[in-house]
Amino acid sequence: MKHLAKFALVLVVLLLTLAPLAACKQAAPTVQKPTVVRIGVITDATGPYAAIAGPTLDAYLDAQAYVNDTGGIDGVPIEVVVRDGAGKVDLATSMYTELVNMSPRPVMLNLIVSAYAEALHDRIAEDEIPTLSVTATSAIYPRAYTFGMYLTYADFAGLFADWLMKTWKGSAPPKVAFLTWDSTYGRAILTQEVRDYFKSKGVNLVAEEVFKMADLDVTTQLVRIRDKGADWIYSNSTATGPVVVLKGLKQLGYNVPFAGAIGFDWSCMYISTKELVEGSVAIFNFVSWDETDNPGIQKMTEYFDKASRPAKDRTVLYPLGFQNVLICKEVIGRAVKEVGWDKLSGEAIKAQLLKLKNFSALGISTITYTADRYSPSLARVYQFKDGKLLPVSDWMEAPNLLEAKYK
């Protein structure tokens, strides 16, 4: 009997010990997945950047379809919410306010105009919304919550200098002139770091000229550049900008090669002619639409054709939009895996952006971010040849020409 009493006592103590644990286990809440993950986008479907930026609207919608067709993020579909800033900073700012006050609020943002990203930089940091932006230095730095979608414009210019010196056949150092837009975007190459780098590479930067986005004639600037004996003209302008310069060169009979980065692409040919852009050089960090054997190009083309997109939307900013959605999917997915849906935050997503190393967006581009460099660094040089943009260099690592005030 004593043994039975002792056993009963032990059993009672054991049950009393386990009961609270069982109750706790039963009471543990189940984390519910959201019904949708929103990504906010402010682009320009109308306004001065529309010719090149407009196709991002289609790209985001097509990439949304691709991501959702392949399982979304941890089984949750994404929803891309796109707004048209129309080239107006005040309008874009009000749209930002609308987006951050949505329910559910977008967990990431994408900004396709430098001036928008520059104006919103501090608010984005305060609201802790990880943001992918076109890469004017002043839009990305000081380092906070905004990351570049591609190389900074200064880094693109530095890569051009590298390529030029590798391919230059002249006996004297090459003379380069900048003829660029008088805007946040256009002036992003007019820094002391760029000037010093060109000099260090043996490139003679002989002129820095600007023109307004609405200007249709740059004869005055081109005459000054011609008087300096420039061998190349490099421009930080998009769509209409390069076309204005190329038409001016043709009218003057000034036979000098032209180069531009990221915004100089197929859109310039669509609004002019393939003859006007023939032989010119373009630099960007995506594979070309004309590299049809690339799996990323093939997948984009599949969704592009499925949605019956117009041919003029095959600009460099279509792969940009597709790439951005894939980056968002990747870092949000990694953050969910690490902290869970219930603890998903801007801070958690930003941490994953800083861990992104050699991320291949379907082979369209390769993205790496570091604590020092909030923008990618790999790009390639292309050349217009009979209506196509074909590579004339391998993938190159651009110099880091971050302005001293941001280091």
Side-chain angles (χ1 to χ4, degrees), residues 3-20:
H3 291 295
L4 288 175
K6 186 175 181 181
F7 175 76
L9 179 62
V10 171
L11 183 61
V12 168
V13 172
L14 183 61
L15 289 173
L16 289 173
T17 302
L18 294 177

Side-chain angles (χ1 to χ4, degrees), residues 217-405:
D217 187 343
V218 291
T219 303
T220 301
Q221 294 95 322
L222 285 173
V223 168
R224 286 198 291 261
I225 288 171
R226 185 179 61 184
D227 290 346
K228 296 289 183 64
D231 300 303
W232 276 85
I233 292 177
Y234 185 94
S235 184
N236 219 42
S237 58
T238 68
T240 56
V243 169
V244 167
V245 176
L246 288 166
K247 284 182 176 178
L249 288 170
K250 185 176 180 180
Q251 290 167 1
L252 282 175
Y254 183 18
N255 188 23
V256 64
F258 177 87
I262 201 70
F264 180 42
D265 74 336
W266 297 266
S267 61
C268 300
M269 181 175 63
Y270 300 153
I271 62 176
S272 60
T273 64
K274 68 179 184 181
E275 290 76 21
L276 187 69
V277 300
E278 182 74 11
S280 296
V281 164
I283 309 168
F284 39 85
N285 63 310
F286 310 105
V287 292
S288 167
W289 279 103
D290 299 310
E291 296 176 89
T292 54
D293 58 343
N294 179 275
I297 294 297
Q298 292 171 355
K299 185 58 65 176
M300 286 196 316
T301 300
E302 175 188 335
Y303 279 81
F304 190 96
D305 292 345
K306 187 186 299 184
S308 300
R309 304 300 185 196
K312 67 179 179 60
D313 282 1
R314 291 179 185 269
T315 73
V316 72
L317 263 67
Y318 185 98
L320 174 73
F322 221 93
Q323 166 207 265
N324 293 347
V325 172
L326 296 177
I327 292 174
C328 291
K329 175 191 176 182
E330 183 71 15
V331 295
I332 296 168
R334 290 187 187 186
V336 168
K337 188 174 182 180
E338 185 163 307
V339 304
W341 284 109
D342 56 328
K343 295 180 181 177
L344 183 64
S345 65
E347 183 180 7
I349 295 171
K350 177 186 175 181
Q352 297 304 322
L353 280 165
L354 287 170
K355 294 177 183 178
L356 211 58
K357 301 292 182 287
N358 296 318
F359 170 66
S360 175
L362 278 180
I364 299 167
S365 63
T366 302
I367 304 296
T368 294
Y369 298 120
T370 70
D372 294 326
R373 198 170 190 172
Y374 273 32
S375 59
S377 57
L378 288 178
R380 194 159 54 168
V381 181
Y382 293 82
Q383 189 173 39
F384 281 99
K385 296 179 180 179
D386 194 28
K388 294 183 178 182
L389 268 172
L390 300 173
V392 291
S393 83
D394 294 328
W395 291 101
M396 299 172 63
E397 180 84 18
N400 186 356
L401 300 184
L402 186 62
E403 293 171 59
K405 62 182 178 181

